[in-house]
Amino acid sequence: MALSMMNNLLDALVLGILKIEDTYGYVLTQQAKEVMDISDSTLYPVLRRLQKDGALSTYDAPFQGRNRRYYSITEQGNTLLEQYIQDWKSYKETVEKILTGGLSNDKT
Amino acid sequence: MTRREFFEILIRDLRNIDPAELQDVLQYYNEYLDDAGIENEQATLAELGSPQKIATAIKANSTIRYLESSEKTSKKSLKAMWITLGAVFAAPIALPIAIVAAALVFTLIIICASVIFSFYAVAVALGLSGILLSIFSFFVITLSPMTFLAMLGSGFILAGLGLLFFIGTNALAKVSLKGYVLFVHKTILRKKGN
């Protein structure tokens, strides 16, 4: 459960970053590292999986004589992100209730 | 660890995955190191961690995907099982029908062969009797020249008929053989080819 939560959070984070603008692996990793404690090699499997699931698409753009692979969110990815946002909201509320003791207070 | 060593280990550990997949991995990390900048290469390589670990994570991921996809195909194998079961239950009817059909075909072949054989026999009998009649006619040449001529004539006629029969039967046998070869080719060999 905790592991799947972490995976989903990582997926949601990647989709959220790409919702703002298309970007490439290095920048994506640096941005994700700002909010989560992940290694530089964590995102590749995540990106690959999302791409295979149809949530992301890629395109190559030339940069200084080489190619850079940009990732962009698809329609399907947007739907997935919406779902993650809903999940996150309800998760956040539940955790908040427990941590601030709201849940037990309501019951007594 | 140098960049070169990093990729060498990655390629070695991922040699069993799909080549297109490996290409994607190599491109990603090559780009990643380029984007990090040559001046940061050592730090970035350290940050990325061991290539063995990266390879293991990628292989684990494709295994999970494979297991997920095989779950979906298990429905298909269930369908195949029903078809097999249906075939087993249909066998008491289908098998005798197949045997009867094979027996019919075999009988037909035997009948054709027998007819051709009997035609040959008739041809040989006609020819032989014609020849014998012609030979024996010489025994009566002194007794009755008329009978001799009649016997010789009918002997030649019989031999001629026998020869005609032989030619006709030959043609019939050739046609039958061709038909048989065509039949075998169309039914048995075509099934094999498909």
Side-chain angles (χ1 to χ4, degrees):
Chain A
M1 188 60 201
L3 187 76
S4 120
M5 183 63 217
M6 275 300 290
N7 272 336
N8 288 353
L9 204 57
L10 216 50
D11 284 13
L13 194 63
V14 166
L15 291 171
I17 293 166
L18 291 174
K19 175 118 182 137
I20 301 161
E21 62 173 343
D22 297 355
T23 189
Y24 49 95
Y26 184 74
V27 166
L28 207 53
T29 304
Q30 299 312 313
Q31 286 183 348
K33 274 173 87 175
E34 281 174 21
V35 284
M36 274 178 97
D37 185 23
I38 56 165
S39 135
D40 277 33
S41 56
T42 307
L43 279 196
Y44 176 77
V46 175
L47 288 168
R48 192 72 182 145
R49 178 160 41 82
L50 286 171
Q51 192 191 336
K52 281 191 171 170
D53 290 343
L56 298 181
S57 63
T58 63
Y59 59 91
D60 291 341
F63 172 79
Q64 289 185 353
R66 61 185 177 86
N67 265 335
R68 224 180 217 168
R69 176 155 292 177
Y70 279 81
Y71 294 83
S72 78
I73 191 165
T74 62
E75 191 100 345
Q76 213 177 317
N78 270 317
T79 318
L80 193 63
L81 180 59
E82 284 302 319
Q83 211 181 306
Y84 279 142
I85 290 171
Q86 290 307 316
D87 287 353
W88 171 250
K89 275 179 185 166
S90 67
Y91 179 77
K92 194 181 76 175
E93 271 172 34
T94 315
V95 171
E96 218 163 47
K97 267 185 192 167
I98 295 167
L99 292 183
T100 57
L103 203 65
S104 53
N105 281 347
D106 283 350
K107 275 187 178 170
T108 49
Chain B
M1 178 177 296
T2 66
R3 184 170 177 153
R4 191 195 165 94
E5 282 168 341
F6 174 84
F7 281 108
E8 272 172 3
I9 294 170
L10 210 53
I11 292 167
R12 188 197 66 200
D13 282 12
L14 290 174
R15 63 187 180 280
N16 288 330
I17 68 167
D18 181 41
E21 196 78 16
L22 177 62
Q23 194 55 46
D24 201 88
V25 175
L26 297 180
Q27 194 189 335
Y28 180 88
Y29 283 109
N30 205 28
E31 255 178 54
Y32 195 92
L33 288 165
D34 281 344
D35 284 324
I38 293 174
E39 62 279 8
N40 301 320
E41 198 164 280
Q42 272 314 308
T44 311
L45 281 169
E47 252 297 320
L48 282 171
S50 84
Q52 287 97 331
K53 229 172 151 183
I54 292 173
T56 306
I58 289 165
K59 279 190 283 192
N61 235 296
S62 50
T63 308
I64 288 166
R65 290 191 71 86
Y66 172 75
L67 287 175
E68 277 172 354
S69 67
S70 65
E71 250 169 48
K72 282 174 201 158
T73 52
S74 68
K75 273 185 188 167
K76 273 185 197 165
S77 51
L78 200 70
K79 198 177 162 194
M81 197 197 80
W82 281 114
I83 291 170
T84 313
L85 215 62
V88 167
F89 281 120
I93 306 159
L95 209 64
I97 288 175
I99 290 170
V100 168
L104 279 176
V105 169
F106 187 67
T107 312
L108 203 69
I109 291 166
I110 295 287
I111 287 171
C112 284
S114 318
V115 167
I116 289 165
F117 180 75
S118 61
F119 277 13
Y120 272 126
V122 169
V124 170
L126 280 173
L128 269 180
S129 54
I131 290 162
L132 283 176
L133 203 62
S134 311
I135 292 166
F136 285 133
S137 64
F138 287 97
F139 290 119
V140 294
I141 194 166
T142 48
L143 293 169
S144 163
M146 285 303 166
T147 316
F148 159 70
L149 281 177
M151 274 177 83
L152 191 66
S154 31
F156 281 162
I157 287 169
L158 280 176
L161 273 176
L163 199 65
L164 274 176
F165 228 91
F166 183 79
I167 292 166
T169 310
N170 242 351
L172 188 70
K174 261 186 194 168
V175 168
S176 304
L177 201 66
K178 255 187 196 170
Y180 173 71
V181 168
L182 213 69
F183 170 77
V184 169
H185 191 74
K186 271 197 174 171
T187 53
I188 298 163
L189 294 183
R190 198 178 56 180
K191 267 181 205 162
K192 253 187 183 176
N194 288 351

